[in-house]
């Protein structure tokens, strides 16, 4: 697949296709269903990247569930983290005594999830778990362990299935590596 831009041609190479994503998301949903059998859970998606993962995962969870969303400062147009995290949009209700599962697109340096974990633990949920579609352990700056991990991936910048590069490519059905080619 090749997508033309004003600046350059960005070649996309599929790393994880839609069928593998669907199969793995179904397994994670089953695991969460088993872990929380007979209980209610609150899924909190980190906008915007986690919204496709959350919507597919939620449909694979067979226990009582509610949704909420938060937004944090992002990398902007760059592939590098700015190094600090800010909450831009908070959840709408209290977390006290709730079984909270934070749903993220990718665990990279760990700065975002570390920040969110501390913030939400202070609100005294009954349990706090982390579900991430992707994990790049080689990039970790702060240690964070996710409870539910879709795929561990090598140190490549990926897009698709919710993940962006400068806000683009979120709508790709597969997870792809984006390699920028110099203009010819
Ligand atoms: P962390 O705070 O470094 O763990 O970064 C988490 C956030 O960085 C994710 O929610 C993504 O928005 C972004 N990010 C990290 N790696 C990638 C990538 O390969 N593609 C797209 N976004 C990424
Ligand atoms: Mg992003």
């Amino acid at each position: 697949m090749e997508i033309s831009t004003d600046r350059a041609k960005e070649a996309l190479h599929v790393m994880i296709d839609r069928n593998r994503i669907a199969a793995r998301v179904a397994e994670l949903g089953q695991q969460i269903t088993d872990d929380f059998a007979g209980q209610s859970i609150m899924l909190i998606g980190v906008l915007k990247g986690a919204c496709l993962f959350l919507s597919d995962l939620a449909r694979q969870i067979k226990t009582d569930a509610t949704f909420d969303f938060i937004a944090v400062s992002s990398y902007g147009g760059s592939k590098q983290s700015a190094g600090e995290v800010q909450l831009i949009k908070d959840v709408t209700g209290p977390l006290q005594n709730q079984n909270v599962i934070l749903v993220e697109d990718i665990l990279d340096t760990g700065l975002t999830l570390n920040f969110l974990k501390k913030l939400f633990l202070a609100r005294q949920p009954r349990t706090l778990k982390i579900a991430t579609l992707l994990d790049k352990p080689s990039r970790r700056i702060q240690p964070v362990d996710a409870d539910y991990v879709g795929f561990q991936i090598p140190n490549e910048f990926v897009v698709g299935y919710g993940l962006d590069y400068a806000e683009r490519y979120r709508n790709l059905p597969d997870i792809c590596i984006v390699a920028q080619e110099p203009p010819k």
Side-chain angles (χ1 to χ4, degrees):
M1 198 178 344
E2 205 175 65
I3 294 184
S4 294
T5 69
D6 294 342
R7 299 184 307 268
K9 280 186 172 174
E10 288 157 5
L12 300 171
H13 309 284
V14 175
M15 178 190 265
I16 306 168
D17 72 30
R18 62 201 78 182
N19 299 320
R20 282 183 66 203
I21 298 171
R24 186 66 187 127
V25 170
E27 287 175 357
L28 293 178
Q30 184 62 56
Q31 224 179 312
I32 292 170
T33 303
D34 294 343
D35 291 352
F36 291 93
Q39 300 181 66
S40 297
I41 58 176
M42 183 194 269
L43 299 172
I44 301 182
V46 185
L47 293 172
K48 306 168 200 163
C51 68
L52 301 195
F53 176 43
L54 185 145
S55 64
D56 285 343
L57 181 66
R59 282 176 283 186
Q60 299 293 337
I61 293 173
K62 313 296 179 204
T63 189
D64 191 42
T66 59
F67 301 169
D68 210 333
F69 294 93
I70 55 166
V72 292
S73 54
S74 76
Y75 292 8
S78 131
K79 288 185 184 176
Q80 292 298 311
S81 169
E84 58 182 60
V85 185
Q86 281 174 333
L87 194 69
I88 293 167
K89 183 218 168 294
D90 205 342
V91 289
T92 50
L95 303 187
Q96 202 164 18
N97 293 322
Q98 302 272 359
N99 294 308
V100 174
I101 304 181
L102 261 172
V103 182
E104 231 318 21
D105 54 358
I106 185 164
L107 175 51
D108 187 34
T109 63
L111 295 172
T112 307
L113 280 172
N114 236 305
F115 168 83
L116 292 174
K117 212 175 161 178
K118 272 190 207 143
L119 186 80
F120 286 170
L121 277 175
R123 299 182 188 180
Q124 300 174 304
R126 183 152 179 262
T127 55
L128 179 66
K129 304 280 184 198
I130 291 173
T132 186
L133 176 68
L134 302 173
D135 181 13
K136 273 194 232 177
S138 62
R139 292 257 309 158
R140 205 76 89 248
I141 292 171
Q142 288 181 358
V144 192
D145 284 320
D147 303 278
Y148 306 101
V149 176
F151 303 92
Q152 280 203 354
I153 62 165
N155 185 14
E156 300 274 8
F157 195 86
V158 290
V159 296
Y161 195 69
L163 291 119
D164 74 304
Y165 174 39
E167 293 301 326
R168 296 172 55 224
Y169 304 125
R170 294 192 197 274
N171 57 326
L172 297 177
D174 308 302
I175 294 166
C176 301
I177 299 172
V178 52
Q180 212 165 43
E181 292 172 1
K184 291 189 179 104

